[in-house]
């Protein structure tokens, strides 16, 4: 059994079958860098006090939760009154519906949890539900009261256990129309689409989360280490200053950039770029390419001329 404390204990119910289960958070924040606010003159951490206007600091036991039903007026609720709210989903998660494993839009997913049986006696029934979901390629849906809120949740197999993911309710999701309405409905240029599709194909590989690292955390750690060693931290130049400018030659420039990307992709990974070994040698291959290739300006000119000559042949 995991050493971590469960965030929820209860029954997973499928029709008349109830299985004692526990939930554990599937994510952690220990790898992130956290900061505290410090009073610079004294070097001491800043603390916060709960203060009421016109009254001053107050004790925690004098504080209740209040719902503002109209401006400046509140309905007060104690913790006991909130705890007395009776919801069956506080202790029971019933699977009320099943959907295809790919039917839920990723936009709805919120936070993952690992679900495990509470004891050995619950394992047999737990395995039946897990394997039935896997065999049918379905996801179970239900509702669960957790930390003062009732969540819509989805359950699916994950290794030898189950993965529970909280979902946003429909009214919590913004409609995309107002954001996408300014984008034209024209389709992409076929030539550009073909080159971009080839580039995507070359860079396609099985997902491996270990390949991706949090560069921001590492950069922050370098700054912190430099401060500790009383050294001046290294300044990293931003790619934002090198963003391409929009102009009338955007289509030609885009084609040249895509073709150059294909060339670099071909040079940096002759084997297809699908293994970690190819990824590790990318920097070395790129440096060799830079030494053997002419400058970027000449490369762009060749791409423009080849694009222009291609169009002239088509027109002919």
């Amino acid at each position: 059994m995991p050493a971590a404390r469960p965030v929820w204990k209860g029954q997973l119910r499928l029709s008349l079958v109830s299985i004692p289960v526990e939930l554990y958070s599937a994510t952690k924040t220990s790898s992130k860098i956290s900061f505290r606010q410090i009073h610079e003159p004294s070097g001491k951490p800043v603390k916060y006090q709960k203060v009421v206007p016109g009254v001053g600091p107050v004790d925690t036991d004098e504080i209740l939760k209040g719902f503002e039903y109209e401006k400046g007026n509140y309905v007060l609720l104690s913790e006991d009154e909130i705890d007395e709210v009776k919801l069956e989903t506080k202790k029971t998660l019933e699977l009320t519906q099943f959907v295809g494993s790919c039917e839920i839009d990723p936009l709805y997913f919120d936070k993952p949890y690992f679900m495990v049986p509470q004891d050995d006696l619950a394992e047999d029934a737990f395995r039946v539900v897990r394997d039935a979901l896997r065999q049918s390629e379905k996801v179970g849906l239900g509702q669960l009261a957790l930390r003062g809120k009732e969540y819509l949740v989805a359950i699916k197999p994950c290794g030898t256990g189950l993965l529970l993911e909280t979902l946003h309710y429909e009214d919590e999701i913004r409609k995309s129309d107002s954001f996408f309405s300014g984008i034209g409905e024209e389709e992409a240029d076929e030539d550009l689409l073909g080159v971009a599709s080839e580039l995507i194909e070359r860079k396609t590989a099985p997902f491996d989360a270990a390949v991706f690292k949090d560069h921001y955390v590492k950069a922050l750690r370098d700054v912190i280490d430099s401060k500790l060693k009383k050294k001046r931290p290294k300044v990293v130049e931003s790619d934002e200053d090198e963003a391409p400018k929009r102009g009338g030659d955007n289509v030609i420039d885009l084609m040249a950039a895509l073709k150059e990307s294909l060339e670099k992709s071909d040079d940096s990974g002759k084997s297809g770029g699908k293994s970690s070994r190819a990824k590790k040698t990318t920097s070395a291959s790129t440096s060799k390419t830079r030494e053997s290739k002419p400058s970027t300006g000449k490369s762009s000119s060749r791409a423009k001329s080849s694009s222009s000559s291609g169009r002239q042949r088509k027109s002919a």
Side-chain angles (χ1 to χ4, degrees), residues 174-198:
R174 290 179 174 177
K175 301 299 181 184
S176 62
D177 298 349
S178 59
F179 298 96
F180 298 157
S181 59
I183 303 174
E185 296 183 2
E186 297 83 2
E187 294 185 356
D189 178 85
E190 287 189 10
D191 293 336
L192 292 171
L193 185 60
V195 180
S197 298
E198 184 179 349

Side-chain angles (χ1 to χ4, degrees), residues 120-188:
D120 295 340
L121 296 176
E123 278 193 24
D124 287 340
F126 183 89
R127 280 194 292 265
V128 171
V129 173
R130 178 200 64 198
D131 293 347
L133 288 172
R134 180 174 283 126
Q135 182 174 317
S136 62
E137 297 184 347
K138 292 291 193 294
V139 173
L141 298 179
Q143 289 180 281
L144 171 69
L146 181 66
R147 293 171 175 169
K149 181 179 177 181
E150 187 174 54
Y151 291 91
L152 172 64
V153 301
I155 293 178
K156 60 184 178 182
C158 178
T160 58
L162 290 172
L163 182 70
L164 179 147
E165 294 183 88
T166 57
L167 305 176
H168 294 288
Y169 286 102
E170 193 273 338
D171 58 2
E172 295 177 328
I173 302 295
R174 290 179 174 177
K175 301 299 181 184
S176 62
D177 298 349
S178 59
F179 298 96
F180 298 157
S181 59
I183 303 174
E185 296 183 2
E186 297 83 2
E187 294 185 356

Side-chain angles (χ1 to χ4, degrees), residues 72-118:
N73 292 309
Y74 301 87
V75 174
L76 301 181
L77 295 173
S78 67
E79 291 295 338
D80 291 338
E81 289 173 320
I82 293 174
D83 290 339
E84 286 175 1
V85 174
K86 299 298 182 184
L87 283 177
E88 187 179 359
T89 52
K90 274 190 173 182
K91 291 297 181 183
T92 302
L93 168 55
E94 182 170 5
L95 299 179
T96 58
Q97 184 184 345
F98 297 89
V99 300
S101 57
C102 297
E103 285 186 34
I104 304 175
D105 192 313
L107 186 64
Y108 284 89
F109 289 103
D110 182 24
K111 184 174 173 57
Y113 295 87
F114 295 133
M115 176 178 283
V116 300
Q118 282 191 26

Side-chain angles (χ1 to χ4, degrees), residues 207-240:
F207 176 68
D208 181 5
V211 172
F212 301 91
K213 305 300 180 183
D214 191 334
H215 302 297
Y216 184 68
V217 168
K218 183 181 184 305
L220 276 179
R221 173 57 65 184
D222 290 341
V223 172
I224 292 170
D225 291 342
S226 297
K227 296 277 283 186
L228 288 172
K229 296 175 182 178
K230 304 298 183 182
K231 293 181 180 180
R232 186 174 180 177
K234 180 181 178 181
V235 178
V236 180
E237 294 182 2
S238 172
D239 292 337
E240 294 176 1

